[in-house]
Amino acid sequence: MTEPQKRDRPWLMRTYAGHSTASDSNALYRRNLAKGQTGLSVAFDLPTQTGYDSDHVLARGEVGRVGVPVGHVGDMRALFDGIPLERTNTSMTINATAMWLLALYQVVAEEQGADIAKLTGTTQNDIVKEYLSRGTHVFPPGPSVRLITDMIAYTVGNLPKWNPINICSYHLQEAGATPVQEIAYAMCTAISVLDAVRDSGQVPAERMGEVVARISFFVNAGVRFVEEMCKMRAFARLWEKVTLERYGVTDPKQRRFRYGVQVNSLGLTEAQPENNVQRIVLEMLAVTLSKDARARAVQLPAWNEALGLPRPWDQQWSLRIQQVLAYESDLLEYGDIFNGSEVIEAKTAALLDGAEAEIAKVLEMGGVIPAVESGYLKSNLVSSHAARRARIESGEDRIVGVNCFDTTEPSPLTADLDTAIMVVDPASEQSVLAALQAWRGQRDEAAVQASLAELKAVAATDANLMPATLACARAGVTTGEWSFALREVFGEYRAPTGVGGAPVAVAAEPGGELEQVRAAVAATAEELGAGRLRLLVGKPGLDGHSNGAEQIAVRARDAGFEVVYQGIRLTPEQIVSAAVAEDVHCVGLSILSGAHCELVPDVLKRLRRAGVQDVPVIVGGIIPAADGEALRAAGVAAVFTPKDFGITTIIGRIVDEIRLANKLQPWTPAPAATS
């Protein structure tokens, strides 16, 4: 009989949090730490993530929505007021502006009197997955890799306990990646980064082991927990192989695969959201049961994230789930309980073989950056996601409460939807704007301009950018000023959408739903005297989560629409200009950040001012019921939320709205021919 061993130390327990203002988020962090949370995971709002000040035109409606706005070192002071950074492990989900946020964090730590060599935590800093899935990239791939390289070199010498990059496969799975793709593309990113650091000459060859030791990963764990656990075992084996064979790291401790995890938000449902609790538990088990591939940090989403912004109580529930497993169960008293399992070993080996084959393909293309620029990776993810959605729509993949077992008793959790989620006070955006203006008014403007001039001068050389960035932070430069100074030197980048290269995911079978929708599209185009119906798919504001928009675009294309999709990060003015120029028959807006109440009415007003009266506007996203009613009252033709999982059905609804707006009779399919 196996005797239990001494209990292992639990993983870091985090919740991903931040909202409204720095002071509001500080209060939330203090409460969470008092409840037993052992690390902080900072969510920044979209303007901060994409390098805009809160008063930029693209930031409208986005300030403090999905995270905390940090516009300068004063905001960072307020965010961590009373929280000793020398004794706090802080994860910051930040990528394009990671160098800037780390500089602000270091300056605040110095002001607290901390020894920066003792700072522990992580900056995500993985720009590749931003090009592929999350959309908060700013600069082109080359300069972005340079920023990452400079950060890694700086931290190795000055912040030796800090993880300067968190290779992030989490959002790849959210964008549709299979387990093999998730492993392969994350590892290709790691190889690209390590090659860049090695080739930069900033880190001596004998210290590359220290670089490898500070690389961490951030992964996704879905509900197929056996497959997900095997994925993590395959990840660990592959990392061991790559770091030993490609980089010659001989110290086993430096080669250890270190990862944190947030379990899958993609699989959380708006329908019967109480089922999300058991989904979250199963997904957590995938990254905790196997000791040899156990996460070092875990953060769980809340049960109601498909409905809107979780409340503090919802985040507490997710924290308590972790604590029950870690402290009440006997999980941490044993070694790896799966060692010797033939099933686990076979599945792990199969995932490893598939990942190595895909890695070889990407490396033959020249590595992950050429694979991004060519659109190869994005197209693969869009295709995988389309295939997954098709399996759900056909019933091949069963989602409880969505496409099966959908009869339900009224849920007390959602009886009052207006109180089942947290709503950000719109007044908080105005307070942030006022505080930003006051900050600019009290700083030394000459010092600000001098530091920005130095930043641009250094950016034009090969010198490390971190010292100049720290000088900007100390001078009172804002987030937008820092990023726009670098934009002047590096330029901006619009990543491939992957829509054009995605294959057909759903066959138009005779008598099937897609065939009927295609017939409706063709008939409507003929009645309107148009060659083809034209649909504009637009993403206003800074929300870069484009997965849903891409799937609508692909399915509309397959249904016979001409699709106008220009990617992410557009102003309402740009969307309306495109709608007029392309003479579209419908405008579809996708917003998942909560900014729909600001941005959608703006698009409607601009369309009407442009004389466009007969083009219906539809909206999709995480939209509370009350907001949906308000949008329809403002003139939106239809609102779609995560419960509307049938994409072909949505395309059919779009055709219906086009016919209604153009005063055409409802379309009915022709009767089937009889023999």
Side-chain angles (χ1 to χ4, degrees):
M1 179 177 177
T2 303
E3 292 295 325
Q5 63 179 25
K6 180 181 177 182
R7 288 181 68 87
D8 291 333
R9 186 172 64 179
W11 51 89
L12 276 171
M13 298 183 189
R14 294 176 168 140
T15 54
Y16 181 54
H19 66 87
S20 302
T21 67
S23 57
D24 289 337
S25 298
N26 173 262
L28 176 63
Y29 295 164
R30 290 193 191 204
R31 291 199 302 271
N32 287 347
L33 291 169
K35 292 172 183 175
Q37 188 173 298
T38 52
L40 293 176
S41 181
V42 181
F44 295 100
D45 74 354
L46 290 173
T48 304
Q49 292 183 51
T50 51
Y52 294 98
D53 284 334
S54 297
D55 56 0
H56 191 278
V57 62
L58 275 170
R60 181 184 172 197
E62 308 278 17
V63 177
R65 285 279 179 187
V66 300
V68 57
V70 175
H72 45 74
V73 71
D75 285 340
M76 191 66 88
R77 286 187 198 118
L79 185 63
F80 291 105
D81 182 41
I83 299 174
L85 298 187
E86 191 174 295
R87 302 197 303 273
T88 304
N89 191 300
T90 304
S91 170
M92 294 192 280
T93 302
I94 197 75
N95 297 282
T97 55
M99 177 180 284
W100 175 242
L101 272 296
L102 179 60
L104 296 178
Y105 189 87
Q106 178 182 322
V107 170
V108 170
E110 291 169 345
E111 292 174 351
Q112 290 184 355
D115 178 357
I116 65 169
K118 294 181 180 179
L119 294 179
T120 59
T122 303
T123 32
Q124 194 170 95
N125 204 21
D126 175 1
I127 203 65
V128 171
K129 57 89 179 173
E130 297 299 326
Y131 299 134
L132 299 176
S133 57
R134 196 162 163 270
T136 68
H137 54 275
V138 176
F139 312 112
S144 294
V145 172
R146 186 254 180 104
L147 286 168
I148 294 169
T149 300
D150 285 357
M151 270 187 69
I152 291 173
Y154 176 82
T155 55
V156 166
N158 298 276
L159 281 69
K161 294 185 176 182
W162 192 266
N163 300 323
I165 185 170
N166 197 220
I167 306 296
C168 183
S169 71
Y170 174 85
H171 298 95
L172 299 182
Q173 187 177 128
E174 297 283 294
T178 65
V180 163
Q181 289 172 329
E182 187 179 345
I183 297 168
Y185 300 160
M187 202 59 64
C188 286
T189 298
I191 289 170
S192 176
V193 167
L194 287 171
D195 282 359
V197 173
R198 179 194 61 197
D199 298 343
S200 74
Q202 295 191 66
V203 178
E206 63 273 14
R207 300 192 68 182
M208 277 300 293
E210 297 174 49
V211 175
V212 168
R214 298 314 324 159
I215 301 287
S216 63
F217 289 75
F218 184 65
V219 305
N220 203 326
V223 75
R224 292 170 55 83
F225 88 93
V226 173
E227 182 174 57
E228 295 292 326
M229 181 183 62
C230 292
K231 178 186 76 180
M232 300 320 307
R233 293 168 75 94
F235 244 135
R237 291 184 191 177
L238 187 55
W239 184 242
E240 170 85 7
K241 180 178 180 180
V242 167
T243 54
L244 179 62
E245 296 181 2
R246 189 178 183 95
Y247 302 105
V249 179
T250 56
D251 185 342
K253 290 183 179 179
Q254 293 179 329
R255 294 199 309 269
R256 182 181 176 187
F257 182 72
R258 301 159 57 252
Y259 78 98
V261 64
Q262 172 160 324
V263 306
N264 197 338
S265 294
L266 175 67
L268 301 185
T269 63
E270 180 184 8
Q272 298 182 24
E274 63 273 12
N275 294 334
N276 293 332
V277 177
Q278 51 264 37
R279 292 184 179 111
I280 289 167
V281 171
L282 282 172
E283 292 163 353
M284 178 178 62
L285 291 177
V287 294
T288 54
L289 281 180
S290 175
K291 180 179 179 180
D292 291 348
R294 182 172 294 153
R296 292 180 61 125
V298 177
Q299 59 190 46
L300 304 182
W303 67 276
N304 56 350
E305 285 198 10
L307 304 176
L309 188 65
R311 301 158 298 186
W313 183 85
D314 306 313
Q315 294 184 330
Q316 174 182 299
W317 191 355
S318 291
L319 175 62
R320 296 294 185 245
I321 290 172
Q322 295 198 58
Q323 291 170 329
V324 168
L325 179 65
Y327 299 113
E328 294 188 26
S329 84
D330 59 352
L331 172 67
L332 298 178
E333 297 175 7
Y334 295 92
D336 198 301
I337 60 177
F338 295 99
N339 285 343
S341 166
E342 293 181 2
V343 172
I344 298 299
E345 186 58 35
K347 183 63 177 176
T348 301
L351 292 172
L352 189 58
D353 290 345
E356 289 190 297
E358 185 63 17
I359 289 169
K361 189 179 299 184
V362 172
L363 293 182
E364 286 176 8
M365 299 174 65
V368 74
I369 298 303
V372 166
E373 293 173 328
S374 69
Y376 170 80
L377 296 185
K378 182 64 173 178
S379 181
N380 281 359
L381 294 180
V382 171
S383 300
S384 294
H385 200 179
R388 174 184 176 273
R389 292 300 300 253
R391 292 194 302 271
I392 293 173
E393 291 178 59
S394 70
E396 180 183 348
D397 285 1
R398 305 183 80 184
I399 311 295
V400 173
V402 175
N403 64 359
C404 64
F405 310 116
D406 54 359
T407 57
T408 182
E409 298 295 328
S411 170
L413 291 174
T414 57
D416 185 354
L417 281 174
D418 291 336
T419 61
I421 56 173
M422 180 176 172
V423 178
V424 174
D425 184 355
S428 67
E429 180 167 339
Q430 294 307 312
S431 70
V432 171
L433 298 184
L436 178 61
Q437 186 175 5
W439 176 266
R440 292 192 186 116
Q442 57 83 37
R443 64 187 183 176
D444 183 342
E445 195 62 30
V448 167
Q449 295 306 319
S451 65
L452 288 171
E454 177 64 14
L455 177 70
K456 287 187 281 189
V458 174
T461 71
D462 294 330
N464 191 297
L465 275 163
M466 194 68 190
T469 295
L470 283 163
C472 286
R474 295 185 179 106
V477 165
T478 66
T479 297
E481 290 166 342
W482 178 85
S483 73
F484 272 88
L486 293 182
R487 280 175 163 100
E488 287 185 33
V489 181
F490 297 151
E492 290 194 61
Y493 185 70
R494 296 191 69 81
T497 67
V499 169
V504 174
V506 178
E509 298 176 354
E513 184 181 19
L514 182 58
E515 183 191 52
Q516 292 185 15
V517 172
R518 290 181 70 169
V521 170
T524 304
E526 183 176 358
E527 289 179 61
L528 292 175
R532 295 172 69 187
L533 290 186
R534 290 177 294 280
L535 170 67
L536 185 147
V537 178
K539 286 200 61 68
L542 297 177
D543 169 37
H545 289 84
S546 58
N547 305 330
E550 290 156 1
Q551 295 308 309
I552 292 292
V554 169
R555 193 69 57 84
R557 177 205 66 186
D558 295 345
F561 274 91
E562 178 182 334
V563 177
V564 179
Y565 177 53
Q566 298 172 325
I568 62 172
R569 212 177 301 169
L570 299 170
T571 65
E573 183 179 16
Q574 289 171 319
I575 288 172
V576 170
S577 294
V580 172
E582 299 289 345
D583 192 22
V584 300
H585 298 95
C586 181
V587 173
L589 304 177
S590 169
I591 307 174
L592 282 80
S593 65
H596 46 266
C597 289
E598 288 277 348
L599 299 177
V600 174
D602 192 5
V603 171
L604 288 169
K605 290 175 185 175
R606 291 176 183 275
L607 280 171
R608 304 311 175 233
R609 283 205 298 266
V612 179
Q613 305 294 332
D614 58 353
V615 174
V617 174
I618 63 168
V619 181
I622 299 177
I623 301 173
D627 288 356
E629 292 175 8
L631 291 176
R632 282 187 285 267
V636 169
V639 175
F640 299 101
T641 66
K643 70 177 183 299
D644 301 298
F645 69 92
I647 299 180
T648 302
T649 301
I650 292 173
I651 303 304
R653 285 280 309 279
I654 292 173
V655 179
D656 292 341
E657 296 300 338
I658 292 173
R659 296 186 68 85
L660 181 63
N662 287 275
K663 299 181 174 57
L664 301 179
Q665 291 297 314
W667 184 83
T668 54
T674 56
S675 55

